[in-house]
């Protein structure tokens, strides 16, 4: 199955999340078979990230969004963690600082976009400004409603500058979220992850769903598509995302740059050097 096509939100379509099964796991697949596939995609991802770094012409921006406990941290750890840290930067976005809030809403995100040859991962992203901000009326509707257009322009600007953008919405249902909250309560090592806001946001599930649907519908474009990833099964989420990232990198058809030196000349120099060193060693015996 081509998950790039299957989970991509068609530009201009209207998303209804209630029609999308968060527990989907692609028929015959199981955690065990997925694990082998995920490893293969991760290997591909590593090789292509190296190629992107070597080529130095373009970059990749991955945005992760989802409700509380949807698995943003787990996706970074288990899937994207395969990337070489030398060419990859993760930025998490929390409530804006005083300085951030004193600028236009995109300012802090633009500063974290990837330079050529690099991958950037956004753990939460500029979409918070049409999600939490919309649900909690942090700015008037007249302000947040214009942001979809601002976001589309921003992403077009990045795309025109050779940044490829992939946006993943991690789709879990309300029942799965409750299960994950319970797991956190039962495991002392996860207590630090529990926040009051998890419980404050849950009653707003419907409002968040509406806000996500608006963002997914208005901002999935040819150059910066949204993917809705069924994420109740963590292994399936990991499989789908690793597949999409690896296949997207492959489709870029990147090329190693031409060497800046004459390789035959260098080979000759190398052999001469080895011969010289051998001779010196013989002479010193
Ligand atoms: P996380 O849940 O990402 O692991 P936190 O528990 O610290 O980390 O949550 C970050 C909080 O920051 C979330 O409640 C999120 O909605 C909030 N946040 C992020 N961006 C914005 C924004 N632009 N305006 C208001 N709140 C935001």
């Amino acid at each position: 199955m081509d998950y790039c096509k299957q989970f991509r939100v068609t530009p201009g379509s209207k998303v209804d999340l209630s029609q999308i099964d968060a527990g989907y796991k692609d028929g015959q697949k199981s955690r065990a078979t997925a694990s082998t596939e995920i490893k293969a995609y991760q290997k591909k991802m590593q090789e292509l990230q190296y190629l992107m770094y070597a080529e130095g012409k373009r970059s990749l921006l991955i945005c992760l969004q989802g409700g509380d406990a949807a698995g943003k941290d787990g996706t970074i750890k288990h899937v994207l963690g395969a990337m070489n840290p030398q060419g990859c930067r993760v930025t998490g976005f929390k409530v804006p600082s005083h300085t951030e809030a004193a600028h236009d809403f995109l300012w802090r995100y633009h500063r974290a976009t990837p330079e050529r040859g690099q991958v950037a991962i956004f753990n939460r992203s500029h979409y918070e400004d049409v999600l939490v901000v919309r649900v909690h009326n942090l700015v008037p509707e007249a302000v947040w409603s214009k942001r979809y257009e601002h976001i589309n322009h921003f992403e077009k600007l990045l795309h025109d500058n050779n940044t490829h953008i992939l946006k993943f919405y991690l789709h879990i249902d309300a029942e799965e979220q409750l299960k994950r909250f319970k797991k956190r309560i039962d495991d002392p090592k996860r207590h630090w992850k529990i926040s009051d806001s998890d419980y404050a946001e849950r009653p707003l599930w419907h409002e968040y769903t509406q806000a996500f649907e608006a963002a997914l519908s208005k901002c999935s474009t040819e150059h910066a598509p949204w993917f809705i990833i069924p994420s109740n099964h963590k292994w399936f989420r990991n499989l789908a995302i690793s597949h999409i990232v690896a296949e997207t990198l492959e489709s870029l058809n990147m090329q190693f740059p031409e060497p800046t030196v004459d390789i035959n000349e260098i080979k000759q120099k190398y052999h001469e050097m080895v011969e010289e060193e051998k001779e010196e060693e013989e002479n010193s015996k």
Side-chain angles (χ1 to χ4, degrees):
M1 192 65 84
D2 181 358
Y3 299 138
C4 299
K5 281 205 185 116
Q6 190 179 357
F7 299 133
R8 179 173 166 274
V9 177
T10 308
S13 65
K14 203 164 168 352
V15 172
D16 176 355
L17 286 172
S18 70
Q19 297 303 306
I20 301 174
D21 178 12
Y24 176 84
K25 50 182 172 160
D26 197 0
Q28 305 302 313
K29 299 229 187 238
S30 69
R31 185 191 297 270
T33 55
S35 154
T36 316
E37 280 189 75
I38 293 168
K39 283 199 188 102
Y41 286 130
Q42 285 182 315
K43 187 161 179 284
K44 202 166 175 186
M45 223 190 281
Q46 279 167 355
E47 289 166 0
L48 291 162
Q49 184 202 3
Y50 177 69
L51 180 52
M52 178 178 270
Y53 183 76
E55 191 197 49
K57 283 191 179 162
R58 50 195 128 199
S59 58
L60 177 68
L61 171 62
I62 298 174
C63 300
L64 296 174
Q65 285 289 164
D68 292 314
K72 300 182 287 295
D73 293 346
T75 303
I76 294 171
K77 184 172 168 194
H78 298 292
V79 182
L80 306 171
M83 303 256 190
N84 180 346
Q86 193 146 243
C88 178
R89 187 174 56 193
V90 182
T91 309
F93 294 99
K94 313 225 176 224
V95 177
S97 69
H98 184 73
T99 310
E100 288 169 343
H103 289 81
D104 71 86
F105 82 100
L106 289 170
W107 181 77
R108 65 174 181 158
Y109 306 104
H110 206 164
R111 284 154 54 94
T113 55
E115 60 199 69
R116 287 190 194 103
Q118 301 272 324
V119 178
I121 297 164
F122 284 3
N123 185 350
R124 301 184 185 272
S125 67
H126 40 300
Y127 284 92
E128 288 294 325
D129 294 82
V130 288
L131 293 167
V132 64
V133 169
R134 166 175 163 158
V135 170
H136 286 281
N137 295 310
L138 300 182
V139 298
E141 180 170 354
V143 174
W144 63 250
S145 61
K146 287 201 188 113
R147 289 184 173 171
Y148 300 101
E149 202 185 333
H150 294 317
I151 287 175
N152 285 339
H153 284 146
F154 171 57
E155 292 178 353
K156 179 78 169 70
L157 166 72
L158 297 180
H159 174 79
D160 287 349
N161 198 43
N162 272 346
T163 297
H164 294 267
I165 305 172
L166 295 174
K167 302 177 298 197
F168 296 109
Y169 169 65
L170 310 184
H171 183 39
I172 59 168
D173 54 34
E175 204 181 313
E176 179 63 22
Q177 187 189 53
L178 212 53
K179 268 196 219 156
R180 292 186 186 184
F181 284 175
K182 171 87 168 55
K183 261 196 186 158
R184 286 184 180 175
I185 295 171
D186 292 345
D187 179 358
K189 283 195 187 137
R190 295 185 201 212
H191 283 177
W192 70 273
K193 278 198 160 195
I194 301 175
S195 79
D196 278 336
S197 82
D198 296 348
Y199 292 84
E201 299 306 293
R202 191 169 158 89
L204 297 168
W205 184 275
H206 176 66
E207 286 77 0
Y208 269 104
T209 301
Q210 281 183 328
F212 274 119
E213 286 173 343
L216 294 163
S217 305
K218 291 174 194 279
C219 300
S220 192
T221 55
E222 291 297 340
H223 53 270
W226 269 111
F227 296 89
I228 299 175
I229 306 296
S231 299
N232 275 5
H233 299 284
K234 294 177 183 172
W235 62 264
F236 183 75
R237 170 201 75 201
N238 294 345
L239 173 64
I241 294 180
S242 60
H243 172 121
I244 296 168
V245 174
E247 295 299 315
T248 301
L249 285 173
E250 184 151 66
S251 72
L252 300 181
N253 196 19
M254 296 179 284
Q255 306 292 328
F256 282 106
E258 287 299 319
T260 53
V261 294
D262 182 332
I263 296 293
N264 286 331
E265 226 173 75
I266 292 288
K267 273 187 193 160
Q268 203 181 331
K269 276 191 189 158
Y270 171 82
H271 289 300
E272 282 168 11
M273 196 175 68
V274 170
E275 284 306 312
E276 266 173 38
E277 287 184 14
K278 240 196 231 162
E279 238 172 73
E280 270 174 31
E281 215 182 298
E282 296 279 314
N283 291 343
S284 67
K285 271 186 196 164

